[in-house]
Amino acid sequence: HLKMIKGILVINNHGKPRLTKFYEHLPVERQQAMIRECFMMISKRSDRVCNFLEDVGAWSKDTKLVYRVYATLYFIFVVDGSESELGILDLIHVFVESLDHVFENVCELDLIFHTDKVHHILDEIVMGGMVLETNLQEILTAVKEQEELEAKGSKVASAKLKLKQQLR
């Protein structure tokens, strides 16, 4: 039995999902119901209670919600019951710190307008529900390398376009 992350959600304080990643195949309607349920449960909680909930209704038994609130955003990891709450809280912090470095003080608009980059950062940390990397520097290096590859790719594409235009 593998330890697993079942889903990662980032929801604003009005209940709008800004990032959703499910690592189990679920119909869209069920995903939306789960997102609503997670928001309803977490948004009602006091700041003074712990940052996790066990045996959450819409999810299968032996599932926990582990979350942190940063400004107007709820970062929620839906995990297997055997996962360490503190380990997941730390993982959420690593994800947010990575976003902060890449976007220089991340805000909700960064998640909206740079969805691909946000997913790439997340994929450096978690893939297929398994934790890949927790070292901030390793994550940032991988993201920087990807950006450099994309920049080279766009230079090549624009050079090809110029060449085609000259040949006409």
Side-chain angles (χ1 to χ4, degrees), residues 19-95:
L19 169 88
T20 58
K21 188 95 172 193
F22 291 90
Y23 298 103
E24 297 180 330
H25 178 71
L26 299 165
V28 174
E29 303 78 37
R30 186 152 154 78
Q31 289 179 11
Q32 290 171 342
M34 292 169 148
I35 292 166
R36 278 192 303 276
E37 183 180 355
C38 287
F39 177 73
M40 297 295 271
M41 286 188 295
I42 290 174
S43 63
K44 293 176 184 173
R45 290 172 62 89
S46 161
D47 295 342
R48 295 192 174 120
V49 297
C50 68
N51 289 31
F52 59 92
L53 293 161
E54 293 184 290
D55 293 325
V56 183
W59 301 85
S60 59
K61 286 283 178 222
D62 198 35
T63 298
K64 292 187 271 200
L65 295 184
V66 181
Y67 67 95
R68 285 183 86 155
V69 183
Y70 291 91
T72 61
L73 297 170
Y74 294 92
F75 287 78
I76 306 163
F77 278 48
V78 182
V79 300
D80 192 82
S82 62
E83 286 284 358
S84 156
E85 294 89 0
L86 294 177
I88 297 298
L89 285 171
D90 192 47
L91 195 61
I92 294 170
H93 185 71
V94 167
F95 179 43

Side-chain angles (χ1 to χ4, degrees), residues 128-152:
M130 303 299 291
V131 177
L132 287 182
E133 186 60 71
T134 58
N135 181 306
L136 182 62
Q137 281 316 121
E138 292 290 326
I139 295 161
L140 296 176
T141 299
V143 170
K144 187 173 184 255
E145 288 170 357
Q146 180 65 31
E147 287 172 350
E148 289 168 0
L149 281 173
E150 288 171 5
K152 283 180 188 172

